[in-house]
Amino acid sequence: MLVPQQQSVRVRTNLSDEQTEKQARLAALLRALPTRTGVYRLVDDENRILYIGKARNLKARVSSYFKPTCLSTKTINLVSKTEDIQYTVVNSETEALLLEQSLIKSEKPPFNVMLRDDKSYPYIYLSDHVFPQIRVHRGKTSQHGTYFGPFPSASAVRNSISLLQRVFRLRPCSDSYFKNRSRPCLQYQIHRCSGPCVGMIDESDYAEDISRATLFLDGKSQTLMDELKQQMHQASTDLEYELAARLRDQIQSLRKVQEDQSIYTSSGSVDLFGVAARESHVCIQGMFIRDGRLLGHRNWFPSNELGLEPNVFLGKFLAQFYLGSVEREIPRTVITHMDFDDRQILAEALSTHVGRTIEVVTQVRKKRAKWLELVRENVEHSLSTYIQARQQEADRFIELQLLLGLSEPPQRIECFDISHSQGEATVASCVVFDHTGPVKSEYRRFKIAGVNRGDDYHALEQAVSRRFTRVQAEGLSLPDILIIDGGTGQINIVYESISVMLDEDIVLLGIAKDPTRKSGKETIWQFGKGKLVINPTSRAMHLLQQIRDEAHRFAVTGHRIARQKARRSSQLDAISGVGPKRRRNLLVHFGSVATIRQASAAEIAKVPGINRKLAEHIYGHFNAV
C-alpha cells in the first residue's frame, strides 16, 4: 500500500533569492577554503567549470563573490550558476597566474576570456619596418614581420605589450599615423614610446631596443639581464648616468617578471600522484605536467571496500589508471608521494606497455620536490572538503528522516516537475538524489502528449505513470520518497495513478509555491497526513528545496530545447521533395509560409528549383480538401 510522507525543496524564484540560498549552501565550502595563494574554479550543477581565477588569498577572494552587495551583473550571473568550488594551492602569485592561464586554455570556461581555436588566439606582432610597430595581432600570420605566441588570452598579450612599452619604449601606432606625425604624441610624453616618428631616437638605438624586446619574448630573459647589466656598468664608467639609470630601470622591471617558479620551467614532463585517507574515505590526486607547464589536476574518490592501506591502494589505482581500457599518455617519470610494494613491478609493466623505459619514483629533489609537495597539500585539502560535504549531506538526510518519522534515512529520493510555456512543448522531469547528492545518470525527461494545454495535473500523472511502469517492468529501484511540484491536487492524482501498480510504502510529498514565490515560504504536503510544519532554515528544508530546484532546472532546460526545436521547424519540413535549399528559395520568394499557402501552383512554379509537378504537390499540401 502506498503511504506517502513529506518533503521540502528550494524554490526557484528570482536571482536575489537564489544568491541567498547559494550563500547558505556554499557557506561550509567557503569556510573550508585555505588562506593560501592558488587558483580556484567555480563549477555548475553539471560539473562544468564556469570560471577560473587566481588569488593571493583563496578564502578572501572566493568569499568576495558571495557578498550581498556591490556585485556586477556578470558576477551575479556567475554566482547564480555556481554549485561547487574547487581550488589548487601554489607557492606564489606568478605560479597562480601561469596555472590560471594554462587551465583557461584547456578548460575554456564560459566566464573567462577564451578564444575558440588557434586561428583566433592573439599574437604579439613586430612589423617589418625601419622602426617596427608592436601590437596585438589576430588571425592569419601572413603579414611580413615577426610573430610571438599564440598567447592564451588577450589580457596576457596586452600585459606583455604594456611591459615592453614601459621598458623598451616601442611604438604602438599604425604606419599611417606614424608617417603623419609632426610632434611627439602622448605615448612619448608618458615615457611609453621613444618618439621615432619625429626623430627622437635614431635607427640603430631603436633596433637595439627591438633586439632586447625580442630576447625577452623568446624567453631569453637571463641573457637579456646579463647584457643590460653589462651595458649599465659601462654607461656608469663612461659617466653616462642618464643612460645607466634607464638601463637600471629596465633591469628592475624585468626582474619582477623573472620570479623563480616551481610550476613553470623550461622543461620536464611528469605525472605526480598523492593519496590521502581518513576514516572510510580515500582521495587520490593526479597532477600532470608537460614541458614544465601544469596542464591540470584531477581528484578521484574511489571506494576502498577492502580497507587497504593508502599506499597499497595507490599502487592498485595506478595500475588500473595506466593499464586499464582507456589509453593514456605516459611520461617517462611517474612520481608518487608514498612508496608501495609493487612500485618496481608497475614501472616494468608500464615500460613493456609503451615500449620505452618508464620510472616510478618517490624520492625527488629541487623542482620536482616542490611539485610533489603541492600534490601532498592539495590532496589533503581535497579530502577534507569531500568529507565535510558528505557529512553535511548525511546530516540533511538524517534530519529529513526525523521530520518524516522514518525508521531509517531515505536511500533514494525522486522528484517530478512540469515545464511549459502556456501549454507549448510540455516537458516533465524526474531527478534522483541519494545520500551522496544528485545521481545524474538516472535523470529522465518525458515529452508530454495527449493532455490539454496547460493541464499540469494530467501531465504529472502521465510522467509518473510512465516512470513507474518502467520501474516495474525492468525491476529498477523504487524511491523511498517521491516529491511532486504542486499541492494536494497534484499529489492526489499522482497517488491514484501509481497506487494500482505498487504495494511498497513510499512517502509522497508535494511542494506548493508561496504566492510571492519566495524561497522558504513553500507549503509542504504529505499524502495522508496533510500540511507539514517545517522550519524554513532547517537542513531538511534546504535538502527538499535543492531537490525541487534541480527538478525545476532540469524540466526548464528540456522545455527550452523542445520549444526552440519546434520554433525552428517549419510547415514546409513536412512536404516531401522540399529540402533546405528549396525551402529557403520558397521563403525568400514569398516572404512567409502564409503567403505560400495563398499562392497558386503556377506562382509556386516560378520559384527557382521548383518545377511544375513539385509546385502542384506543394499547392496540394496546403489546399487539400
Side-chain angles (χ1 to χ4, degrees), residues 12-13 18 48 77 81 418-421 424-428 445 447 552-568:
R12 249 201 205 293
T13 59
E18 287 191 354
R48 294 174 301 192
N77 188 24
K81 297 181 179 180
I418 299 292
S419 181
H420 58 81
S421 296
E424 177 190 4
T426 303
V427 173
R445 289 194 183 106
K447 292 182 179 180
H552 181 75
R553 180 201 65 79
F554 196 56
V556 168
T557 302
H559 160 65
R560 287 173 177 167
I561 294 171
R563 185 182 61 189
Q564 290 169 2
K565 183 177 180 180
R567 292 181 177 178
R568 284 195 301 266

Side-chain angles (χ1 to χ4, degrees), residues 221-272:
S221 298
Q222 191 57 53
T223 301
L224 174 60
M225 294 273 285
D226 294 341
E227 180 182 316
L228 291 175
K229 288 178 182 177
Q230 183 179 356
Q231 292 180 1
M232 180 183 68
H233 292 311
Q234 184 61 46
S236 178
T237 301
D238 297 341
L239 305 181
E240 297 180 6
Y241 298 119
E242 186 174 341
L243 174 59
R246 191 162 83 88
L247 294 170
R248 178 204 60 198
D249 294 341
Q250 289 180 346
I251 293 170
Q252 291 176 349
S253 297
L254 292 172
R255 187 176 286 123
K256 291 180 182 179
V257 296
Q258 202 185 23
E259 179 181 342
D260 183 42
Q261 309 151 22
S262 64
I263 285 285
Y264 185 71
T265 60
S266 59
S267 62
S269 293
V270 300
D271 286 353
L272 301 102

Side-chain angles (χ1 to χ4, degrees), residues 523-565:
T523 302
I524 311 300
W525 300 90
Q526 180 176 344
F527 182 82
K529 293 189 178 182
K531 181 179 178 180
L532 297 178
V533 179
I534 305 179
N535 183 344
T537 63
S538 67
R539 286 178 290 189
M541 184 68 166
H542 288 161
L543 173 61
L544 295 172
Q545 288 175 332
Q546 179 188 357
I547 297 172
R548 203 287 300 273
D549 259 4
E550 177 67 356
H552 181 75
R553 180 201 65 79
F554 196 56
V556 168
T557 302
H559 160 65
R560 287 173 177 167
I561 294 171
R563 185 182 61 189
Q564 290 169 2
K565 183 177 180 180

Side-chain angles (χ1 to χ4, degrees), residues 244-442:
R246 191 162 83 88
L247 294 170
R248 178 204 60 198
D249 294 341
Q250 289 180 346
I251 293 170
Q252 291 176 349
S253 297
L254 292 172
R255 187 176 286 123
K256 291 180 182 179
V257 296
Q258 202 185 23
E259 179 181 342
D260 183 42
Q261 309 151 22
S262 64
I263 285 285
Y264 185 71
T265 60
S266 59
S267 62
S269 293
V270 300
D271 286 353
L272 301 102
F273 289 90
V275 61
R278 200 175 307 163
E279 302 169 352
S280 60
H281 303 289
V282 177
C283 176
I284 293 177
Q285 180 173 102
M287 189 173 286
F288 311 101
I289 297 172
R290 298 294 181 269
D291 297 325
R293 186 185 299 275
L294 177 57
L295 300 182
H297 78 279
R298 180 179 175 183
N299 293 323
W300 293 269
F301 300 95
S303 58
N304 187 5
E305 301 291 345
L306 300 179
L308 300 174
E309 291 297 320
N311 60 332
V312 177
F313 193 90
L314 176 61
K316 292 184 176 297
F317 172 85
L318 290 176
Q320 185 178 14
F321 179 78
Y322 285 116
L323 303 175
S325 58
V326 179
E327 285 293 328
R328 303 184 187 276
E329 178 189 359
I330 306 178
R332 183 181 179 277
T333 304
V334 176
I335 304 173
T336 66
H337 94 284
M338 279 188 176
D339 200 0
F340 52 93
D341 293 339
D342 295 335
R343 178 168 59 83
Q344 190 57 41
I345 295 175
L346 176 62
E348 293 174 1
L350 294 179
S351 300
T352 301
H353 182 66
V354 298
R356 53 186 169 83
T357 302
I358 303 295
E359 59 178 356
V360 182
V361 299
T362 59
Q363 300 297 323
V364 290
R365 298 181 300 167
K366 299 182 179 180
K367 297 290 184 184
R368 294 183 173 188
K370 293 182 180 180
W371 290 342
L372 194 57
E373 179 62 19
L374 288 178
V375 172
R376 188 196 64 77
E377 289 186 20
N378 278 287
V379 74
E380 292 289 347
H381 282 302
S382 298
L383 181 61
S384 297
T385 302
Y386 177 80
I387 292 175
Q388 188 176 36
R390 298 286 77 77
Q391 185 58 50
Q392 289 173 347
E393 197 69 29
D395 290 345
R396 296 201 299 175
F397 272 73
I398 292 172
E399 190 168 312
L400 183 60
Q401 170 202 353
L402 298 175
L403 176 66
L404 300 177
L406 304 178
S407 59
E408 59 183 19
Q411 299 301 308
R412 182 185 178 93
I413 301 175
E414 294 187 10
C415 181
F416 286 79
D417 193 12
I418 299 292
S419 181
H420 58 81
S421 296
Q422 298 181 340
E424 177 190 4
T426 303
V427 173
S429 68
C430 172
V431 300
V432 181
F433 275 66
D434 63 14
H435 65 281
T436 63
V439 186
K440 296 189 177 182
S441 61
E442 299 193 30

Side-chain angles (χ1 to χ4, degrees), residues 31 33 189 202 252 267 296 335 354 436 480 513 597 607:
R31 287 194 298 269
L33 287 172
Q189 302 295 335
D202 60 36
Q252 291 176 349
S267 62
I335 304 173
V354 298
T436 63
D480 301 306
K513 302 178 183 69
R597 185 190 300 275
V607 176

